[in-house]
Amino acid sequence: MSEVLVLDHPLIQHKLALLRDKRTGPKDFRELLDELSMLMAYEVTRHLPTEEVEVETPVGVARCRVVTGLHLALIPILRAGLGMVNGILRLVPTAKVGHIGLYRDHDTLQPVAYYCKLPPDLAQREVIVLDPMLATGGSAAEAVHLIRRQGARSIRLMCLVAAPEGIEVFHRAHPDVPIYTAAVDQCLNEKGYIVPGLGDAGDRLFGTR
């Protein structure tokens, strides 16, 4: 089974608490989501390979390490995943960005893709799928299916809050894809919302209902 890595850094947990607060408005929600994504990206990219190089400083030569090998691709799931992109791009401005749009069919309750635009060289990239909430797990699982069909071989899922039910569904579909999250919450309610969660991330991000 793939790993579930809960990122418990104090700053991540502090900002997540502010993000959960129902009094946090869209402006602060956007800023917090941006900051959280940047902080979490440090851990999600910790495994990236490096190589030693020599750098000439003003007073000598330093042996340093730089990232080598795979480059990054960020794939937000529309629409809430968009709020996670800019924070990571400030760390890795050369990352390519794709987009996947999904909705749930009212009759079958299965995710249906309505938009998919991905970088053409996913096989040569480390792919990070972005979605603030891993609730039922269906959308994230379908997004990874689409990404695999485009040739991606190395994929990670990054979310802020996950439900046990969503983790189980995602694990069954993609047992080799690790999940990075700031919290694993109690459960889903009858409407499919994570409890206690943080509400509808897309609505809170964009000020809609």
Side-chain angles (χ1 to χ4, degrees):
M1 297 295 287
S2 60
E3 291 181 285
V4 178
L5 298 101
V6 179
L7 308 182
D8 59 357
H9 189 284
L11 289 177
I12 291 176
Q13 294 303 313
H14 175 80
K15 290 180 183 296
L16 177 61
L18 298 175
L19 199 73
R20 288 186 190 269
D21 193 328
K22 66 180 182 181
R23 297 170 297 181
T24 299
K27 175 182 180 294
D28 291 335
F29 193 94
R30 284 191 292 269
E31 292 174 356
L32 285 164
L33 182 55
D34 184 83
E35 293 166 357
L36 268 167
S37 301
M38 181 189 297
L39 289 169
M40 292 179 69
Y42 280 104
E43 294 299 324
V44 178
T45 58
R46 180 180 291 276
H47 67 286
L48 292 179
T50 62
E51 65 179 1
E52 187 174 276
V53 297
E54 290 188 347
V55 175
E56 187 173 349
T57 79
V59 294
V61 176
R63 290 185 176 180
C64 305
R65 304 204 67 83
V66 296
V67 174
T68 187
L70 291 176
H71 300 290
L72 290 184
L74 309 177
I75 313 294
I77 298 176
L78 304 178
R79 58 188 169 135
L82 291 172
M84 303 175 72
V85 173
N86 287 339
I88 304 175
L89 283 178
R90 284 204 296 275
L91 288 179
V92 194
T94 58
K96 290 187 177 180
V97 180
H99 299 87
I100 292 178
L102 297 161
Y103 70 89
R104 185 183 299 180
D105 185 277
H106 291 296
D107 296 323
T108 66
L109 301 182
Q110 297 301 309
V112 178
Y114 65 87
Y115 186 79
C116 184
K117 184 74 170 180
L118 302 175
D121 58 347
L122 289 184
Q124 286 74 50
R125 291 185 176 270
E126 178 81 25
V127 176
I128 303 176
V129 180
L130 305 174
D131 198 356
M133 315 295 288
L134 180 60
T136 64
S139 294
E142 180 61 22
V144 172
H145 280 308
L146 294 171
I147 291 165
R148 286 192 192 277
R149 289 177 199 147
Q150 295 287 333
R153 294 176 293 182
S154 181
I155 305 171
R156 295 167 188 270
L157 174 65
M158 176 175 155
C159 59
L160 298 184
V161 180
E165 297 92 332
I167 292 172
E168 182 179 354
V169 167
F170 187 83
H171 272 171
R172 285 203 304 266
H174 304 288
D176 58 330
V177 176
I179 300 169
Y180 293 80
T181 184
V184 176
D185 277 9
Q186 296 171 12
C187 61
L188 296 178
N189 65 16
E190 65 280 0
K191 295 183 179 180
Y193 283 92
I194 301 175
V195 179
L198 49 80
D200 186 300
D203 283 347
R204 297 193 66 189
L205 179 65
F206 296 109
T208 56
R209 289 186 179 180

